[in-house]
Amino acid sequence: MKILQLDTNHPLITEQLSAKGFMLDEDTTSTYDEVLEKIADYEGIIIRSRIPVDQNFLEHAKNLKFIARVGAGMENIDVRFAEERGIKLISSPEGNRDSVAEHVVGMLLILMHRLFISSTEVKNGIWKREENRGDELLGKTFGIIGYGNMGKAVARRLSGFGVKVIFHDILPNLSDEFATQVSLETLKNEADILSLHIPITDETYQLIDAQFISGMKKDFYFINTARGKNVKTSDLVEAIRSAKVKGACLDVLEYEKASFENLEIENNDSAFLLQSEKVIVTPHIAGWTVQSKEKLAQVIVDKILTGFAQD
């Protein structure tokens, strides 16, 4: 079976799959159109976010048996058309869930305890104590939307912080020892902190907008390590200005490029987020650690071997 890697990944993918008889090529520079010219030669592709696997791509990939996405989100793939053609879809959310969970807790603690702000001030000769009085997690209710791999990992990390963890998910009966499933209405009534762990779909596009935010009973902290387009940025900015949102931790932005490599749009709202002391912004790295790079790759290899073992 011939496999084409379209992004740079951990070398264990090539090493382990080659040892099992797969033939792997790597192309991390060709354009979309250049890839189309040769994709019919391959039965499998391994991708991240560089090349969109849309209907046109799949129509050219006449021999494709599987698409492996090194990561969790599948929005750069025309999932419906791929499934219609009998192409197996593989992702690896198990590989970076721990990284995401630590990033969520880390960002939140930095924000609530003003760690970055106060450290920067001290390094610049400014010594403020009362102005940098923090806010504790202990005793708060942490609300999660989406209780898959990422949401569950976050709940596990919070188990020692003395918080009540609740979540809402479209699937039923997901409660465990770390969190309790509730209705969306209950979550809005009780949460002091809201964290998103959902894919981007027609239903979740700009889910967090002015109407959703106004429906939150309490002023709250907001965390997004899911997808930037889950949030209507202009409405979030207004909520931060009014203090309905007490602070935001954003690893993803609505204005990112589809490849997640940089900002595509810069405007007044993005400028506000980047300048506000109430906002922490990171460059889509919640799932990026030394360990997750290897784990993501290993999950992909294991799933390919399970579904397409060579004789």
Side-chain angles (χ1 to χ4, degrees), residues 93-94 139 143 146 164 185 214 230:
E94 305 92 337
K164 175 184 178 182
E185 191 63 29
S214 66
N230 292 137

Side-chain angles (χ1 to χ4, degrees), residues 167-184:
F167 69 89
H168 175 72
D169 195 284
I170 59 174
L171 298 177
N173 304 317
L174 298 178
S175 293
D176 56 25
E177 66 268 38
F178 302 110
T180 302
Q181 189 162 9
V182 298
S183 68
L184 188 57

Side-chain angles (χ1 to χ4, degrees), residues 138-191:
L138 182 67
K140 289 185 170 56
T141 298
F142 193 107
I144 295 171
I145 298 183
Y147 205 62
N149 281 282
M150 310 303 173
K152 290 178 183 178
V154 170
R156 283 196 295 271
R157 290 303 181 286
L158 291 169
S159 60
F161 281 90
V163 298
K164 175 184 178 182
V165 184
I166 58 177
F167 69 89
H168 175 72
D169 195 284
I170 59 174
L171 298 177
N173 304 317
L174 298 178
S175 293
D176 56 25
E177 66 268 38
F178 302 110
T180 302
Q181 189 162 9
V182 298
S183 68
L184 188 57
E185 191 63 29
T186 298
L187 186 144
K188 287 182 176 181
N189 286 336
E190 296 185 6

Side-chain angles (χ1 to χ4, degrees), residues 87-101:
I87 298 170
K88 184 176 178 64
L89 300 176
I90 299 169
S91 63
S92 53
E94 305 92 337
N96 63 353
R97 61 190 174 192
D98 296 314
S99 174
V100 169

Side-chain angles (χ1 to χ4, degrees), residues 52-56 58 67 74-84 89:
V53 184
D54 55 16
Q55 181 171 335
N56 181 53
L58 294 170
I67 303 166
M74 306 290 276
E75 68 270 16
N76 60 327
I77 302 168
D78 188 330
V79 171
R80 180 194 59 78
F81 192 71
E83 290 176 342
E84 287 178 0
L89 300 176

